[in-house]
Amino acid sequence: MSKRRATATVSKILNFSCVDGPGNRLVIFLQGCNYQCKNCHNPHTIGICNHCGDCVAPCPSNALSMSEGHIRWNTELCTHCDRCLAVCPNQSNPKTQTMNVDDILQLVRKHQLFLSGITVSGGEATLQLPFIVELFNAIKADPSLRHLTCMVDTNGSLSQTGWEKLLPVLDGAMVDLKAWQEETHRWLTGRSHHRVMQTIDWLGKHDKLEEVRLLHIPAITDFEQEIDALAHYLSALPARTTIRLNAFQHHGVTGPALEWPPCSASQINAFAKQLTQRGLRVLYREPVT
């Protein structure tokens, strides 16, 4: 009898992406997150569908229906207008799929000649850690796929014991540092940042820290007020680690964060200049205005 493969609740898959790690990558977005970020640009990935049915009637193409207490999604009828995401009271997505490791491997093999690697993102990907561990193990064990790098995009909340399970098959992690001060981080995300700092330090120690990402929200995040402490911390990270700055924009954002002014080109440039003046090399892209 063959071993039963681990499964995951998948929100979306991008067959090709050049912004989710180095090179051209297949990206798997897993559903579910343990943060409640006020500025989340994928808020529909936070919750797990509870099959309440509130999205069925608003669907203009009748792609959603209720059967035996569960939402059914007809992919052929769906126009991806995302009306269902807008009306969901649970910050969820009725268009998720349950996929196992073999399903993902089939996709990877289909596109492997064009790929540099695989990134598992979210939501918070590490909430479905057994799936990631099995997937990465399968890729590393396959002679035709083992050249692909396996990476995770994370909020950094996974415990050290969790990272230890992933370490043998992990090529790198991209970690979001959402605020410097504990109070600011808790206000912005609903969670402490102690585990995030531990994750960054631990991954750096084991040479698995691919990127640290800073989202600059002027007058909201506290990076500029704590620039000296922030620069000192970042300068101690491994040389291989990319420090990536992102400028806050309204794309995908809901709620009060829509009232926050977006980060302008001059603001992200000024933030980058403060860090480079303190000896750091940073990557960033100016927002399109």
Side-chain angles (χ1 to χ4, degrees):
M1 179 180 294
S2 60
K3 179 183 176 182
R4 186 176 182 181
R5 290 293 203 180
T7 62
T9 303
V10 178
S11 180
K12 181 174 67 174
I13 293 177
L14 295 180
N15 292 328
F16 305 108
S17 171
C18 60
V19 296
D20 294 280
N24 192 23
R25 313 189 68 77
L26 186 144
V27 188
I28 307 143
F29 294 88
L30 302 187
Q31 186 73 19
C33 187
N34 54 347
Y35 278 18
Q36 289 284 336
C37 296
K38 298 179 186 297
N39 59 288
C40 182
H41 64 277
N42 288 314
H44 60 277
T45 65
I46 293 176
I48 300 296
C49 179
N50 61 6
H51 304 280
C52 68
D54 286 4
C55 59
V56 173
C59 177
S61 60
N62 297 314
L64 298 172
S65 61
M66 182 71 78
S67 175
E68 298 180 348
H70 286 76
I71 297 291
R72 306 298 180 189
W73 173 44
N74 188 323
T75 58
E76 295 181 359
L77 293 177
C78 184
T79 61
H80 298 286
C81 68
D82 290 343
R83 176 63 179 162
C84 56
L85 306 184
V87 301
C88 179
N90 195 42
Q91 293 184 300
S92 186
N93 180 2
K95 300 183 291 184
T96 59
Q97 304 176 69
T98 299
M99 303 181 73
N100 64 30
V101 169
D102 287 330
D103 296 328
I104 301 298
L105 290 176
Q106 184 177 353
L107 268 178
V108 174
R109 291 190 179 101
K110 179 180 178 181
H111 300 296
Q112 62 177 306
L113 296 178
F114 308 99
L115 295 174
S116 307
I118 314 300
T119 296
V120 186
S121 186
E124 174 48 38
T126 62
L127 295 180
Q128 302 186 60
L129 184 64
F131 172 82
I132 303 175
V133 172
E134 186 174 322
L135 174 63
F136 286 4
N137 268 296
I139 290 171
K140 297 301 184 184
D142 189 319
S144 66
L145 301 179
R146 63 177 55 152
H147 66 284
L148 299 174
T149 55
C150 296
M151 297 191 175
V152 172
D153 192 339
T154 176
N155 62 24
S157 62
L158 183 65
S159 66
Q160 181 177 318
T161 55
W163 286 116
E164 288 170 351
K165 294 175 183 177
L166 194 53
L167 183 66
V169 288
L170 179 70
D171 291 300
M174 293 155 282
V175 185
D176 291 319
L177 179 58
K178 298 180 185 292
W180 178 254
Q181 290 287 355
E182 164 72 3
E183 183 179 359
T184 308
H185 191 277
R186 190 176 290 277
W187 176 82
L188 195 62
T189 71
R191 299 289 293 265
S192 167
H193 77 347
H194 293 316
R195 183 71 63 80
V196 184
M197 307 295 275
Q198 291 169 0
T199 287
I200 290 173
D201 294 342
W202 192 88
L203 289 171
K205 178 182 176 181
H206 290 85
D207 198 29
K208 300 292 185 178
L209 187 61
E210 184 71 18
E211 282 187 3
V212 173
R213 296 174 173 174
L214 310 175
L215 177 64
H216 185 38
I217 315 175
I220 298 295
T221 47
D222 56 9
F223 296 130
E224 287 187 302
Q225 299 94 308
E226 303 288 349
I227 194 70
D228 289 325
L230 174 67
H232 178 75
Y233 178 73
L234 295 176
S235 65
L237 297 179
R240 67 159 285 190
T241 302
T242 297
I243 309 301
R244 187 175 299 276
L245 313 183
N246 292 322
F248 170 72
Q249 303 295 298
H250 287 157
H251 176 70
V253 172
T254 61
L258 284 172
E259 300 176 6
W260 300 348
C263 180
S264 67
S266 62
Q267 288 171 320
I268 197 69
N269 283 328
F271 180 39
K273 184 177 180 180
Q274 290 184 76
L275 290 173
T276 55
Q277 287 175 338
R278 289 162 174 82
L280 287 165
R281 293 176 60 251
V282 298
L283 293 181
Y284 67 101
R285 183 178 299 172
E286 292 185 1
V288 177
T289 56

